[in-house]
Each structure stands twice: as C-alpha cells, then as structure tokens.
Amino acid sequence: MPFVSIRITREGVTAEQKAQVIREVTETLERVLNKPPAWTHIVIEEVDTDNWGFGGHTIAAIREGKAPLPGA
C-alpha cells in the first residue's frame, strides 16, 4: 500500500490543484510501479510560511523581504 506525503506552504493552493496532484501522483504510481489506485494513499499537508524555514529564516520573512534568499 503506497503512502505519499507531500508538504507545501499554505499559500493559495486551490482544492482543484490539490485534487489534480493527488490524481496525477496516483496515476504515476499505477503506471510506473503497477500499484492499484485503490491501495494508494496521498496526504497533502499545508504548512504556514512562518512555520517553514531554510537558511536560518522563515519563508514568511524571506517573502516579505525581511531576510535574504539563501544562496542569493
């Protein structure tokens, strides 16, 4: 039973877009790994941008221009 966990920032992703991701990931697992769609579980977890960080800064601070983009 495949289990796929996807984490994204919570920023205006629509229910339709998430449904498309679930559908296409399920189709990929069926096509590539021959996994039955009925056995495939997909979870999309949305994380607030102030709870996601890299390079020592939150995504919220980077997007607001209060912190540099790491590597830039």
Side-chain angles (χ1 to χ4, degrees):
M1 160 174 38
F3 175 85
V4 178
S5 178
I6 300 170
R7 289 191 180 120
I8 60 174
T9 54
R10 183 175 288 130
E11 296 181 284
V13 177
T14 67
E16 292 79 15
Q17 289 170 317
K18 290 184 274 188
Q20 181 178 353
V21 168
I22 290 169
R23 187 172 50 255
E24 291 186 17
V25 169
T26 300
E27 290 169 355
T28 298
L29 289 172
E30 180 181 25
R31 185 180 69 254
V32 176
L33 301 178
N34 300 312
K35 299 297 181 180
W39 294 3
T40 300
H41 298 258
I42 312 289
V43 174
I44 297 176
E45 180 181 358
E46 292 182 283
V47 180
D48 290 326
T49 57
D50 59 344
N51 291 329
W52 190 312
F54 68 103
H57 304 284
T58 66
I59 297 297
I62 293 167
R63 299 249 170 94
E64 293 169 4
K66 296 178 181 174
L69 182 61

